[in-house]
Amino acid sequence: MKKIFTLIAAVMFAACSFAQVNFTDPEGNVYENGSTMNIYPSIVIPDIPDFLEFHSPKLVNTSASGVSVKLEINLKQLPAGTQFAECFSGACTNYKEAKVITTKAVTLKANETKETACEWFYDEEFAGQTCIADFTIYVNGVKDKTVTVKYINGEPGAVNAITVDNAKRQGTFTLDGKRADNAKGLVIKNGKKVIIK
């Protein structure tokens, strides 16, 4: 009986050791354990002065089989008056103060890419502010990699203000700009941030 448990443990360890899940930035660049990812706003909308869109880091399963993945997000710096939204496991939850967040586990299929769906936003003007969070991946229940993510409300250099046609703004959209009329959680509805339950 002891040999059977040892064999099962060895098989599970081997399966975990071959599972490869990486953090990437919105452009697809891979970040190694212990590195820092800087994310600047991808869209600045002049007629919505309290909204900047920050694309989320992504997880990429490069292994040949599906894996169970959950995140531990340590919000280390969350400026007062701002909020952090976590939507990784489906339902969105907003946080107004620094804390450690543990998501539910989700399954990543072989070679699947999934956004962490974590966004930083604010209700007033916070130029020059930064939200800092450590993202740790757990693959099949085993702690894997940690990357520090800095959402920086500064001068991204490559991003310019985008003027949006009001007629095109009507409707409901996810934070990454995709039309989603039946979406739940934090969305942009007719040009305004709202939470739909």
Side-chain angles (χ1 to χ4, degrees):
M1 190 68 152
K2 192 174 187 180
K3 289 181 182 182
I4 291 173
F5 285 122
T6 304
L7 180 62
I8 291 170
V11 168
M12 288 177 66
F13 178 76
C16 288
S17 65
F18 289 115
Q20 183 68 33
V21 178
N22 293 314
F23 276 110
T24 71
D25 62 16
E27 289 77 39
N29 301 308
V30 175
Y31 283 74
E32 298 300 325
N33 186 41
S35 59
T36 299
M37 179 187 307
N38 292 332
I39 298 181
Y40 292 94
S42 57
I43 297 176
V44 180
I45 304 175
D47 2 354
I48 310 176
D50 64 345
F51 180 72
L52 289 178
E53 181 179 335
F54 291 81
H55 285 302
S56 345
K58 297 179 180 179
L59 299 179
V60 180
N61 178 11
T62 60
S63 64
S65 61
V67 293
S68 171
V69 176
K70 74 175 181 177
L71 293 173
E72 181 181 273
I73 304 161
N74 181 3
L75 278 174
K76 295 165 63 175
Q77 181 175 311
L78 185 62
T82 70
Q83 294 184 52
F84 184 86
E86 180 276 306
C87 305
F88 178 69
S89 47
C92 292
T93 304
N94 295 336
Y95 298 90
K96 294 183 178 182
E97 58 189 35
K99 67 179 298 175
V100 177
I101 304 160
T102 302
T103 70
K104 293 180 182 175
V106 300
T107 300
L108 275 181
K109 297 175 188 170
N111 302 309
E112 181 181 5
T113 298
K114 179 176 176 57
E115 282 198 43
T116 58
C118 294
E119 302 285 346
W120 176 52
F121 62 97
Y122 52 88
D123 295 323
E124 298 173 20
E125 186 60 39
F126 283 90
Q129 296 289 325
T130 301
C131 173
I132 302 173
D134 286 341
F135 282 67
T136 301
I137 309 172
Y138 286 80
V139 179
N140 294 331
V142 178
K143 185 176 179 178
D144 191 17
K145 298 176 180 74
T146 300
V147 169
T148 298
V149 177
K150 292 183 179 180
Y151 297 90
I152 301 171
N153 180 4
E155 293 296 327
V159 176
N160 298 314
I162 297 172
T163 303
V164 179
D165 180 355
N166 280 335
K168 292 181 180 174
R169 277 185 26 193
Q170 300 304 308
T172 304
F173 300 87
T174 61
L175 293 179
D176 60 356
K178 296 175 185 159
R179 188 166 194 96
D181 292 321
N182 297 320
K184 298 209 184 286
L186 179 64
V187 296
I188 304 299
K189 184 169 185 173
N190 298 332
K192 304 255 187 221
K193 279 187 310 199
V194 296
I195 297 174
I196 299 176
K197 295 184 179 188

